[in-house]
């Protein structure tokens, strides 16, 4: 059946770093989701019989869009859809399923760490055959298609039962409802030394994992409690809820405060971790020791060879530009390349496919490797557990040892959320115009050494991405970076990334806020944040 779009309902938004993200009410408009999904299919042009993976983070509206997408896939010539039981597939699990079963792509229904519920956010991401987010060429083509589309295709078929594993037919297409956890758990077991972790657990090693009522609950329960032997209750908020229990499923010190408070309090277990809405982000906090995502990347890279999946060492490390340079020092010590990419996981895909990098990370709590083509929250947790179990060391001791060898990059990100777009644009434009005058200027004890607008040339396909954030580098390796978010759903979000480097023989045992005070003042002097945004303090500090 061909459905003709009566008017043009698409409130255009260039798909950002993670697909299309809007309020649920926007997706509920007639033709809205269908228009976007059809545009994806029109661009993907699946060969007859191709396999499509569908799953989401369980948020409100997930099941509705899954049923729509299944009928549309049948009408668009797909031969098989693999859909996660209950409509569930974490983003990294979806990436793995796409790769493992040779699918041509997958629809991941999630607004990641944004809140869920009838009045909150929803999203649709399209991943391609390598399991990774659609590259810019594809997202641009999908966007262009949404601007001209005038019909979508569907078949007349009832909803399928998403809660019973097994195979059914929809309009001549096979739909398999698969166990969302099994393939992923098997992959993790192949990468990590589960026996060593089990032994540590048997020896009294304890942890708390906060699934934030989001998608990782079933994965964490199966892997941590059932397979690794952690006590029942180790996984908290382990049942995915459509509104994430009213919380913001973003694993940082603000939104995972309960876990954070536990870990710095007197009853802390040995290890604490959390993941986000769709399971690709991670928070790592040891007893009394928060590990910044940038440090986590560096520490994992320095010790990855202790896990069976990485015994051959790393081919290279990649980090997004705003992520601290801690990983660069590890790469140097290992004698491998370190790539600096724009923000967004899709930029790692080519490096991973080409075998140029093994481990990647972003300051926004994303870490992962070439095992899939997405960042992977539980993967990071398991690599940490593997390293701690083999080395018989705690998080704090490992961090201190790391800094004593490589030096320490004190780090924080200040977010100014929901600011007026005009003010945000003016701030960036003014900043860009002033870059030439910055080198040589001093801000208290800080002397600016260089400043630029970051652009990236992909070493694999030569594509160029410009305007990826403003970098101001100071003498001695400290930095401030200014960037506008590409994933917000209201107004603009300004991100200010602050990084102070202290060499191994410097002040490596101080409190972060005090160490960054000078940089915060410099950022204000350089960019006029209060003048442009009307804000004197950030909304979120991570
Ligand atoms: C933010 C982060 C990025 C991340 C992106 C998507 O983007 O800063 O590092 O890649 O979210 O993350 P997720 O896949 O978890 O939604 P932005 O543009 O808002 O800074």
């Amino acid at each position: 059946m061909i459905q003709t779009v009566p008017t043009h309902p698409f409130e255009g938004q260039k798909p950002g770093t993670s697909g299309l993200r809007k309020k649920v009410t926007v997706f509920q408009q007639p033709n809205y989701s269908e228009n976007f999904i059809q545009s994806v299919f029109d661009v993907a042009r699946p060969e007859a019989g191709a396999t499509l993976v569908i799953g989401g983070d369980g948020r409100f509206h997930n099941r509705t869009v899954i049923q729509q997408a299944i009928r549309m896939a049948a009408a668009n010539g797909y031969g098989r859809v693999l859909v996660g039981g209950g409509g569930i597939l974490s983003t990294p699990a979806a990436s793995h399923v796409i790769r493992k079963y040779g699918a041509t792509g997958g629809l991941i229904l999630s607004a990641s760490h944004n809140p869920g519920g009838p009045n909150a956010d929803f999203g649709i991401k399209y991943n391609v055959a390598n399991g990774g987010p659609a590259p810019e060429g594809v997202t641009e083509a999908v966007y262009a298609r949404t601007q001209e589309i005038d019909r979508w295709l569907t078949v007349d078929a009832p909803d399928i039962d998403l809660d019973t594993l097994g195979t059914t037919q929809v309009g001549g297409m096979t739909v398999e409802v698969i166990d969302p956890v099994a393939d992923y758990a098997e992959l993790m077991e192949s990468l990590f030394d589960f026996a060593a972790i089990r032994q540590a657990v048997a020896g009294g090693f304890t942890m708390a994992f906060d699934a934030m009522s989001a998608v990782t609950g079933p994965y964490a329960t199966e892997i941590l409690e059932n397979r690794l032997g952690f006590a029942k209750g180790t996984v908290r908020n382990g049942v995915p809820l459509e509104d994430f229990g009213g919380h913001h499923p973003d694993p940082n010190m603000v939104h995972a405060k309960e876990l954070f408070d536990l870990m710095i309090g007197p009853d802390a277990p040995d290890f604490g971790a959390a993941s986000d809405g769709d399971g690709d982000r991670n928070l790592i906090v040891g007893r009394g020791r928060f590990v910044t995502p940038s440090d986590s990347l560096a520490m994992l890279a320095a010790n990855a060879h202790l896990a069976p999946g990485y015994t051959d060492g790393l081919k290279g490390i990649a980090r997004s530009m705003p992520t601290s340079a801690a990983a660069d020092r590890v790469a140097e010590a290992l004698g491998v390349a370190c790539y600096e990419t724009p923000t967004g996981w899709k930029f790692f895909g080519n490096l991973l496919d080409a075998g140029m990098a093994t481990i990647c990370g972003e300051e926004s709590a994303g870490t992962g490797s070439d095992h899939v083509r997405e960042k992977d929250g539980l993967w990071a947790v398991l690599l940490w557990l593997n390293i701690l179990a083999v080395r018989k060391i705690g998080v704090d001791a490992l961090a201190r040892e790391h800094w004593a060898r490589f030096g320490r990059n004190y780090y924080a990100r200040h977010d100014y959320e929901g600011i007026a777009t005009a003010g945000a644009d003016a701030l960036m434009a003014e900043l860009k115009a002033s870059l030439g005058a910055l080198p040589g200027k001093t801000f208290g004890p800080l002397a600016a050494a260089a400043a630029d607008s970051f652009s990236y040339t992909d070493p694999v396909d030569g594509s160029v991405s410009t305007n990826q954030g403003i970098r101001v580098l100071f003498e001695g390796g400290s930095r401030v970076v200014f960037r506008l978010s590409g994933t917000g759903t209201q107004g603009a979000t300004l991100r200010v990334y602050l990084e102070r480097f202290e060499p191994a023989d410097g002040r490596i045992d101080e409190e972060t806020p005090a160490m960054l005070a000078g940089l915060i003042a410099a950022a204000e002097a350089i960019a006029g944040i209060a003048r442009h945004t009307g804000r004197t303090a950030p909304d979120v500090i991570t």
Side-chain angles (χ1 to χ4, degrees):
M1 182 172 78
I2 294 182
Q3 180 84 32
T4 303
V5 179
T7 55
H8 197 279
F10 204 79
E11 181 195 326
Q13 176 199 297
K14 281 204 178 191
T17 45
S18 298
L20 182 70
R21 208 175 281 186
K22 294 276 183 191
K23 293 282 171 210
V24 166
T25 46
V26 174
F27 278 97
Q28 283 170 328
Q29 296 173 90
N31 301 317
Y32 189 87
S33 308
E34 293 92 334
N35 188 333
F36 183 73
I37 293 168
Q38 184 64 49
S39 298
V40 169
F41 291 164
D42 284 348
V43 169
R45 285 208 237 143
E47 282 178 15
T51 298
L52 179 74
V53 172
I54 306 178
D57 62 12
R59 70 178 58 224
F60 183 81
H61 205 50
N62 192 31
R63 286 170 178 261
T64 307
V65 174
I66 288 178
Q67 301 288 359
Q68 289 169 337
I70 289 173
R71 281 189 282 267
M72 290 179 66
N76 276 276
Y78 285 96
R80 182 170 67 143
V81 159
L82 302 176
V83 57
I88 293 287
L89 274 178
S90 76
T91 289
S95 181
H96 178 53
V97 170
I98 291 170
R99 294 163 66 79
K100 179 169 175 180
Y101 295 101
T104 55
L107 291 171
I108 304 175
L109 311 178
S110 170
S112 189
H113 50 283
N114 293 23
N119 298 310
D121 295 341
F122 191 74
I124 306 179
K125 306 189 277 187
Y126 179 63
N127 280 30
V128 292
N130 75 349
E136 225 150 42
V138 176
T139 55
E140 293 292 334
V142 170
Y143 174 69
R145 186 72 192 128
T146 60
Q147 299 304 295
E148 59 188 30
I149 189 167
D150 61 1
R151 60 90 182 91
W152 47 272
L153 310 180
T154 191
V155 297
D156 198 8
D159 285 357
I160 67 149
D161 176 5
L162 285 172
D163 297 306
T164 307
L165 303 188
T167 302
T168 57
Q169 297 291 316
V170 172
M173 179 185 77
T174 305
V175 181
E176 283 175 45
V177 180
I178 60 169
D179 180 332
V181 175
D183 293 310
Y184 179 83
E186 182 186 293
L187 175 66
M188 293 300 112
E189 202 147 2
S190 75
L191 294 174
F192 300 116
D193 191 344
F194 273 35
I197 302 172
R198 267 196 296 268
Q199 209 180 343
V201 175
F205 184 89
T206 53
M207 81 171 283
F209 180 87
D210 190 346
M212 306 191 83
S213 306
V215 79
T216 45
Y219 297 86
T221 304
E222 170 61 20
I223 295 170
L224 299 175
E225 295 184 4
N226 298 350
R227 300 198 185 193
L228 291 172
F230 281 103
K232 296 284 171 219
T234 291
V235 178
R236 296 152 184 240
N237 303 313
V239 177
L241 301 176
E242 287 200 328
D243 66 349
F244 307 122
H247 298 298
H248 212 111
D250 193 359
N252 58 35
M253 291 178 283
V254 179
H255 298 300
K257 188 167 184 309
E258 224 169 272
L259 176 78
F260 194 75
D261 288 347
L262 170 75
M263 293 309 299
I264 55 174
D267 302 321
D270 294 297
F271 188 70
S275 192
D276 71 333
D278 63 333
D280 57 1
R281 296 186 176 199
N282 70 89
L283 166 75
I284 301 296
V285 50
R287 181 184 290 145
R289 170 63 63 193
F290 166 65
V291 182
T292 68
S294 294
D295 268 349
S296 177
L297 172 66
M299 292 167 191
L300 291 178
N303 293 283
H305 59 279
L306 300 172
Y310 306 92
T311 42
D312 292 344
L314 308 181
K315 295 172 185 145
I317 303 173
R319 65 164 172 86
S320 68
M321 182 274 281
T323 303
S324 94
D328 303 31
R329 301 196 169 83
V330 175
E332 200 184 335
L334 294 173
V336 298
C338 187
Y339 301 91
E340 186 175 32
T341 62
T343 295
W345 202 261
K346 64 187 171 190
F347 292 100
F348 296 135
N350 277 352
L351 298 170
L352 296 169
D353 281 347
M356 295 164 77
T358 305
I359 282 192
C360 316
E362 295 193 278
E363 53 65 43
S364 53
T367 332
S369 86
D370 56 3
H371 67 292
V372 288
R373 292 296 179 272
E374 287 277 5
K375 53 191 182 250
D376 189 343
L378 265 172
W379 170 91
V381 171
L382 292 166
L383 182 50
W384 264 101
L385 289 173
N386 188 142
I387 292 165
L388 298 178
V390 171
R391 295 196 46 192
K392 301 184 175 24
I393 192 175
V395 175
D396 183 56
L398 187 139
R400 287 170 185 278
E401 182 199 277
H402 187 95
W403 296 327
R405 180 174 170 207
F406 295 100
R408 180 171 178 186
N409 294 68
Y410 290 92
Y411 192 88
R413 185 177 97 182
H414 288 192
D415 290 344
Y416 300 79
E417 294 178 342
I419 56 176
T421 308
D425 290 344
L427 181 150
M428 293 303 282
E430 218 173 85
L431 194 52
K432 212 171 163 188
S434 71
L435 290 180
L438 275 175
K441 266 197 180 173
T442 54
F443 302 88
L446 293 161
D452 69 357
S453 171
F454 180 61
S455 67
Y456 177 69
T457 304
D458 188 303
V460 179
D461 64 21
S463 58
V464 177
S465 305
T466 55
N467 284 323
Q468 297 295 322
I470 305 277
R471 305 188 282 194
V472 181
L473 186 68
F474 299 96
E475 306 283 355
S478 297
R479 258 188 354 164
V480 179
V481 170
F482 302 88
R483 228 192 111 246
L484 295 184
S485 159
T487 61
T489 51
Q490 254 164 0
T493 294
L494 170 69
R495 303 202 196 283
V496 182
Y497 308 82
L498 307 145
E499 173 181 357
R500 170 170 173 171
F501 178 63
E502 284 289 324
D505 58 0
R507 298 169 61 191
I508 56 169
D509 196 12
E510 307 287 338
E511 295 298 322
T512 298
M515 294 298 276
L516 295 181
L519 278 166
I520 294 168
E524 175 58 40
I526 290 168
I529 301 168
R531 179 163 51 86
H532 286 292
T533 67
R535 306 276 177 84
T536 50
D539 298 285
V540 180
I541 299 179
T542 50

